[in-house]
Amino acid sequence: MLDTSSSNLKNKALYQLILDWYGTPYAFGNNTKKGIDCSGFTQIIYKEIYKKDLPRRSSDMSELIERKYSKDLKEGDLVFFSFGNSKEINHVGIYLSNNKFVHASTKKGVIVSDLTEPWYGDYLVKCGPIK
């Protein structure tokens, strides 16, 4: 899934937590295994893995990052998207490696996607680590 061997993964707890949630369906405003949205999933990962509390909304999370270029992303950095006609940030994911990121997709639930896919690459508006 990440185009790397498991021996190259630094943060085993992160990947175990992702596996635990993988496939959980999308449900706006929820944060349980019955359904979760992108910001709720990001909050859980950051609370359990990085011991940091994040705001509930992706647009509010985006105000806390130190911006960087997508080519410089590191595991755990946040990636923000603006889908639709508005310029407002309305989706968030967590960067893993090799252009892959984990997020709660509205159609597929918790999945790993690739930033180079046109659907994501065209709508990526901000990324970086929490300050």
Side-chain angles (χ1 to χ4, degrees):
M1 213 182 316
L2 299 175
D3 296 329
T4 189
S5 81
S6 60
S7 62
N8 290 336
L9 302 178
K10 298 174 189 134
N11 192 338
K12 304 280 190 213
L14 170 63
Y15 294 97
Q16 184 57 57
L17 189 58
I18 291 168
L19 283 174
D20 291 347
W21 283 89
Y22 200 85
T24 298
Y26 181 87
F28 181 76
N30 288 357
N31 63 351
T32 70
K33 293 275 179 102
K34 291 183 179 181
I36 195 160
D37 65 16
C38 64
S39 57
F41 180 66
T42 300
Q43 273 188 316
I44 288 169
I45 295 284
Y46 260 75
K47 180 77 168 170
E48 292 191 28
I49 300 300
Y50 302 109
K51 311 300 183 221
K52 292 183 180 180
D53 290 318
L54 295 179
R56 182 63 175 99
R57 295 181 43 211
S58 56
S59 59
D60 294 334
M61 289 178 191
S62 75
E63 300 301 317
L64 302 177
I65 68 162
E66 180 181 323
R67 291 183 83 152
K68 64 166 62 168
Y69 293 108
S70 58
K71 67 180 180 63
D72 298 324
L73 288 170
K74 303 257 188 273
E75 180 183 275
D77 288 348
L78 298 180
V79 290
F80 295 95
F81 304 87
S82 179
F83 295 116
N85 294 329
S86 80
K87 297 293 181 195
E88 184 177 332
I89 288 173
N90 51 27
H91 191 66
V92 61
I94 301 166
Y95 186 80
L96 301 173
S97 66
N98 296 329
N99 291 315
K100 307 287 192 232
F101 69 104
V102 65
H103 62 121
S105 158
T106 56
K107 292 188 172 136
K108 298 180 181 177
V110 176
I111 59 170
V112 172
S113 298
D114 194 312
L115 285 175
T116 62
E117 293 174 32
W119 178 250
Y120 296 109
D122 291 349
Y123 296 99
L124 179 67
V125 293
K126 195 174 187 182
C127 54
I130 297 293
K131 293 179 193 171

